[in-house]
Amino acid sequence: MKLTGAQALIKSLETQGVDVMFGLPGGAILPVYDPILGSSIRHILVRHEQGAGHMAEGYAMVTGRAGVAMVTSGPGATNVVTPLSNAYMDSTPLVVISGQVATSAIGSDAFQECDITGVTMGITKHNWLVTRAEDIPRTVAAAFHVATTGRPGPVLIDLPKDVSNAEMEWYWPATEADLDLPGYHPRLDGDPAAIARAAQLILAAERPVLYVGGGVLKAGATDALLELAERTGFPVVTTLMARGAFPDSHPLCLGMPGMHGNYTAVTAMQRADLLVALGARFDDRVTGKVSAFAPAAKVIHVDVDPAEIGKVRAPEVGIVGDCRRVIEALLEALEAAGLGHDDAAVRTERGARGRPGTQAASRPARDGWWAQLRAWQAAYPLHYEEEAGGPLKPQRVVETLRALSSPDTVVVAGVGQHQMWASQYWRFEQPRTWVNSGGAGTMGFAVPAAIGAKVGRPDRTVWAIDGDGCFQMTAQELATASAERIPVKVAILNNAYLGMVRQWQEMFYAERYSEVYLSPDLPDYVKWAEAMGCVGIRAETPEEVAPAIEKANAIDDRPVVVDFRTDAFEKVFPMVPAGGSNDDIVVHPSQAQGRVVQ
Amino acid sequence: MSSAGDGEPRHHILSVLVENKAGVLARVAGLFSRRGFNIFSLAVAPTDDERFSRLTIVVDVESAPLEQVVQQLDKLVNVVAISQLAPEAAVERELLLATVAVDAPRRGEVIELVGVFRGEVVNVGLDRLTVMLADDPDTVDDFERLLGAYGIVELQRTGRVALPKLGRSKAD
């Protein structure tokens, strides 16, 4: 069967199982837009290519499948650079297809020419410039394989216009060996000897912490993690990228560590004698000053990316492999050492009882450790203060939103104070219910990512919790959501400031506020929402919060934007000052007085 | 240059088999620059299999742990295999070409020096000589230093290539 390169590309995407893609056409990608008319793939026309990229990310983060975005050459391609960088930092599988000028014009500074494979080399897992139409099916199959296996990540296929127009004989690569990837071999099974050593450390630990990162979600390892936690009776911390990987309501859950993590999660890691890092990468926002991080802890580090092992912290045991497979192998090793599943131990701090006569029977008690953890939790819960008749607190909005929404609601955040409050005050119970920009810290992520998430999970309610600064960066995509009937909901925590920057200027720059004020009324968010075909609602007092949310939750035929006017002076606590030791965690001022000394 | 005092050598040699595809060198160079790894030298050559090329990279192991350099390189999809060669376990060679300003009366001294090092005179002009030496990099350093006394007009070094030293038992 003869096809044009453009037809082959669309047929390749269909064969790959793509059901939706996000994009915006232009000159160099025009040939590919023609066969979209007859395709089974739903194409969502965005208003800016950055929106297409973030939508594809939101889609990928809730479904676990690769998100697909399509853009034209030059500025179309450069507009998707930020989403590629974001997906690279957060290991999100993304396949971006960019048009390119004809091969004969490459290098001539042609109209809308940009060396996008050169530009994106450092922020993609891999990229391809396709120069022959017959390479298209193999390249598409390879792109999806690379994006979704091993440590997932974004890839880009750059497709010159003459290659789209050229004819080729259709085929589909039958096996992985046909993908022509001689240098790509992800290691998925952990080394048994290393796993056995890890089991020994686990059985000997007195002050353990399971340090859970986003890799656990990507590997679909949440069930295995639950079993590991319950069998060992180890406390669990979930990083910003791992919120939802372990239920916040579980008694073993300590919540989020890091710069704005809660006191117990941060301090548990600092005092631990064993950290079991699962799909986590010792990010600076988690470790604080590395040389002062968890000084007494031995480290077991499980990661599918060999380069993460020892990159920041040298582990006692490094295990390269897929988190689910490694945790399952670890469970077998523990079983062999006498620590089997124990129904009576589920959800208890004790963990399973070791079978008599086995090594597990004599493992150290951790009662003192748990008593310490519970004491910290009692002394330093997440805390904010409201006064009667005072301003609306952003934390109140998040808590009310959570209380009035189903636990399977997908929550999406941008970057800044609102993101931290969402991650702290939402209670996550299920995997893939939290979508945010972690590593890259991309402001403006929430609106488009929420649209992508809703496309991926139309059965779920999707709430974006956004800041007013973030919202203004990408809000135009709500026109896309209205046009495509994608009923997302956006809660703007409108404090009229670039709030996190304001917080740093207050705390570290002697309250010298430089270029952070935005105004609560400019733009008028309700009118803006209405102009884009959404319902706009405003809530200015604590009393108005619940009715606004209920009204928004009742609307399911169009997007809703709620403008919550929140306290401009509220700060995110706790906080570890940048570059400081986690021991120097700053708690809410009202808690600082009675600070417990260890 | 090749060792810092009497301690561990500063450099390590990586022999990297890569796919012979457009942009591979840029991917490797880009990785080194964005991760802050330093390179002492880099040599690229085809292999006996036209699908692959071989890069010989001399890495500054003070800029980053060797293991991290290797693991990051290995993540590049076009990198097929990496072998690490510790300096003491490798045979290293580097080629130097130098044009020296030397008039007729002192020409003999340079030719004698080239002879001592078992190099070659490859070109002769009225007041210049172009000479060549292929040897282990330390010897090439010495040669360059001694030539310097005569005034080096132009100098080109290839960067080192290396293979593992052979053991005394039979290869299988």
Side-chain angles (χ1 to χ4, degrees):
Chain A
M1 178 174 45
K2 288 270 184 216
L3 293 181
T4 65
Q7 290 166 335
L9 180 81
I10 295 302
K11 193 172 171 64
S12 297
L13 294 175
E14 289 169 353
T15 309
Q16 191 65 55
V18 174
D19 58 355
V20 62
M21 59 184 178
F22 308 89
L24 195 144
I29 196 72
L30 258 176
V32 182
Y33 268 80
D34 190 67
I36 284 177
L37 285 175
S39 171
S40 62
I41 299 172
R42 177 185 183 191
H43 180 278
I44 290 172
L45 174 63
V46 300
R47 269 46 176 178
H48 185 291
E49 291 89 347
Q50 183 187 359
H54 292 323
M55 286 179 204
E57 288 183 87
Y59 175 92
M61 289 176 82
V62 297
T63 63
R65 299 200 296 274
V68 181
M70 189 179 290
V71 299
T72 195
S73 65
T78 56
N79 279 345
V80 86
V81 165
T82 297
L84 284 169
S85 169
N86 191 79
Y88 189 62
M89 291 293 266
D90 287 348
S91 307
T92 304
L94 205 61
V95 176
V96 173
I97 292 141
S98 55
Q100 180 56 278
V101 301
T103 49
S104 56
I106 288 178
S108 72
D109 304 318
F111 177 65
Q112 289 191 334
E113 180 183 357
C114 170
D115 170 23
I116 198 64
T117 51
V119 169
T120 60
M121 221 168 245
I123 51 169
T124 51
K125 195 170 164 188
H126 194 57
N127 60 25
W128 292 262
L129 170 65
V130 181
T131 53
R132 302 181 307 177
E134 59 263 38
D135 291 341
I136 289 172
R138 182 170 53 246
T139 306
V140 170
F144 277 83
H145 181 66
V146 170
T148 55
T149 56
R151 179 178 184 170
V155 299
L156 176 135
I157 300 173
D158 200 22
L159 190 64
K161 194 170 187 178
D162 58 325
V163 177
S164 297
N165 285 327
E167 281 211 327
M168 54 83 70
E169 181 67 29
W170 170 255
Y171 67 95
W172 184 248
T175 67
E176 216 178 289
D178 296 329
L179 299 181
D180 189 24
L181 295 168
Y184 183 71
H185 307 287
R187 277 152 63 188
L188 301 179
D189 287 311
D191 169 30
I195 288 168
R197 288 203 306 281
Q200 295 299 315
L201 290 181
I202 285 172
L203 290 173
E206 295 176 14
R207 299 187 310 280
V209 173
L210 298 180
Y211 161 28
V212 173
V216 166
L217 288 167
K218 272 135 196 145
T222 53
D223 290 347
L225 168 67
L226 186 68
E227 175 68 27
L228 178 67
E230 293 189 338
R231 204 187 288 187
T232 55
F234 283 5
V236 177
V237 300
T238 52
T239 67
L240 182 65
M241 292 310 297
R243 303 292 287 134
F246 192 77
D248 276 335
S249 61
H250 197 291
L252 299 176
C253 190
L254 303 184
M256 185 174 79
M259 180 177 268
H260 293 294
N262 72 75
Y263 184 90
T264 307
V266 171
T267 311
M269 293 177 89
Q270 285 302 93
R271 301 285 172 271
D273 71 345
L274 177 68
L275 290 179
V276 185
L278 302 166
R281 62 181 176 89
F282 294 82
D283 180 84
D284 57 84
R285 285 303 193 256
V286 167
T287 62
K289 188 178 172 187
V290 174
S291 60
F293 174 66
K298 291 181 175 169
V299 171
I300 299 168
H301 193 175
V302 180
D303 205 292
V304 74
D305 179 355
E308 287 302 340
I309 312 280
K311 184 182 81 176
V312 174
R313 169 80 174 243
E316 271 63 29
V317 179
I319 305 172
V320 178
D322 170 83
C323 267
R324 186 175 60 77
R325 294 198 198 183
V326 172
I327 295 173
E328 285 171 356
L330 204 46
L331 288 169
E332 284 174 26
L334 290 171
E335 178 91 47
L339 195 70
H341 182 83
D342 178 352
D343 283 336
V346 169
R347 301 178 75 83
T348 72
E349 299 159 2
R350 176 173 53 77
R353 287 194 193 284
R355 281 196 305 279
T358 65
Q359 190 186 0
S362 56
R363 69 184 184 126
R366 293 166 314 285
D367 301 354
W369 179 231
W370 272 109
Q372 173 70 86
L373 297 173
R374 296 304 183 211
W376 287 330
Q377 286 180 317
Y380 301 112
L382 286 173
H383 181 71
Y384 66 96
E385 294 189 337
E386 290 176 303
E387 44 184 299
L392 172 57
K393 295 291 180 172
Q395 299 94 329
R396 166 66 53 202
V397 177
V398 177
E399 286 190 317
T400 311
L401 199 51
R402 176 68 177 85
L404 296 175
S405 304
S406 150
D408 69 357
T409 299
V410 173
V411 188
V412 186
V415 169
Q417 286 183 314
H418 71 275
Q419 172 194 30
M420 292 298 110
W421 286 316
S423 65
Q424 291 176 335
Y425 286 89
W426 196 273
R427 302 275 291 174
F428 294 94
E429 297 299 322
Q430 298 180 19
R432 300 194 183 278
T433 55
W434 170 238
V435 175
N436 88 130
S437 166
T442 304
M443 284 181 67
F445 179 76
V447 167
I451 294 169
K454 181 69 179 171
V455 170
R457 291 305 302 259
D459 54 321
R460 299 282 185 88
T461 298
V462 176
W463 265 106
I465 296 176
D466 212 1
D468 47 321
C470 277
F471 183 83
Q472 292 189 59
M473 288 191 176
T474 50
Q476 81 285 343
E477 296 307 338
L478 285 171
T480 304
S482 289
E484 295 276 346
R485 303 222 167 269
I486 304 164
V488 293
K489 305 180 199 307
V490 183
I492 306 173
L493 304 184
N494 177 5
N495 62 2
Y497 276 97
L498 297 169
M500 189 60 92
V501 183
R502 204 209 73 90
Q503 174 168 343
W504 285 48
Q505 289 180 345
E506 179 184 329
M507 294 173 71
F508 310 120
Y509 290 85
E511 299 181 58
R512 287 165 55 81
Y513 299 113
S514 176
E515 303 298 325
V516 284
Y517 181 67
L518 294 176
S519 162
D521 303 305
L522 184 67
D524 180 324
Y525 294 99
V526 170
K527 282 187 185 165
W528 193 8
E530 288 168 357
M532 291 188 289
C534 312
V535 175
I537 300 168
R538 181 166 291 132
E540 303 190 60
T541 65
E543 295 70 39
E544 290 171 8
V545 170
I549 292 168
E550 279 165 348
K551 185 175 170 192
N553 274 339
I555 297 166
D556 206 27
D557 61 344
R558 70 196 66 192
V560 188
V561 175
V562 189
D563 173 19
F564 291 101
R565 298 294 179 92
T566 59
D567 183 0
F569 306 108
E570 188 65 17
K571 293 191 287 292
V572 181
F573 288 110
M575 178 174 193
V576 177
S581 160
N582 282 354
D583 288 333
D584 300 328
I585 183 168
V586 179
V587 294
H588 190 276
S590 71
Q591 296 174 322
Q593 301 303 322
R595 180 168 174 179
V596 180
V597 179
Q598 287 87 45
Chain B
M1 176 183 168
S2 59
S3 57
D6 52 3
E8 290 291 299
R10 260 191 79 170
H11 77 275
H12 214 93
I13 307 153
L14 298 178
S15 177
V16 185
L17 191 68
V18 299
E19 286 185 84
N20 187 9
K21 286 189 172 163
V24 172
L25 191 58
R27 289 180 199 280
V28 171
L31 172 72
F32 274 79
S33 84
R34 74 176 175 271
R35 296 271 175 196
F37 305 154
N38 289 340
I39 300 180
F40 280 127
S41 74
L42 172 66
V44 190
T47 65
D48 51 359
D49 183 337
E50 64 177 17
R51 293 174 301 159
F52 304 115
S53 300
R54 185 171 297 283
L55 312 182
T56 306
I57 308 174
V58 182
V59 183
D60 177 357
V61 287
E62 283 185 3
S63 70
L66 182 70
E67 192 60 15
Q68 184 58 204
V69 177
V70 171
Q71 297 295 3
Q72 293 290 356
L73 259 182
D74 201 33
K75 276 166 70 171
L76 294 178
V77 167
N78 294 135
V79 169
V80 178
I82 303 173
S83 27
Q84 305 177 28
L85 294 174
E88 63 276 11
V91 198
E92 301 175 56
R93 286 295 178 270
E94 184 169 6
L95 187 145
L96 169 149
L97 276 178
T99 296
V100 186
V102 58
D103 48 18
R106 300 190 73 190
R107 193 180 286 150
E109 292 175 35
V110 175
I111 292 170
E112 188 180 273
L113 185 66
V114 170
V116 169
F117 277 85
R118 284 193 280 274
E120 264 180 61
V121 175
V122 291
N123 207 349
V124 183
L126 282 178
D127 55 356
R128 296 193 171 184
L129 272 183
T130 298
V131 301
M132 182 197 93
L133 178 70
D135 209 325
D136 68 82
D138 289 345
T139 308
V140 174
D141 287 347
D142 293 343
F143 183 61
E144 182 185 331
R145 217 169 298 128
L146 289 164
L147 276 183
Y150 298 93
I152 295 173
V153 179
E154 267 191 288
L155 177 84
Q156 183 82 57
R157 290 176 65 157
T158 58
R160 61 189 87 191
V161 292
L163 283 174
K165 264 185 198 158
L166 302 178
R168 284 286 163 266
S169 53
K170 274 189 175 176
D172 47 14

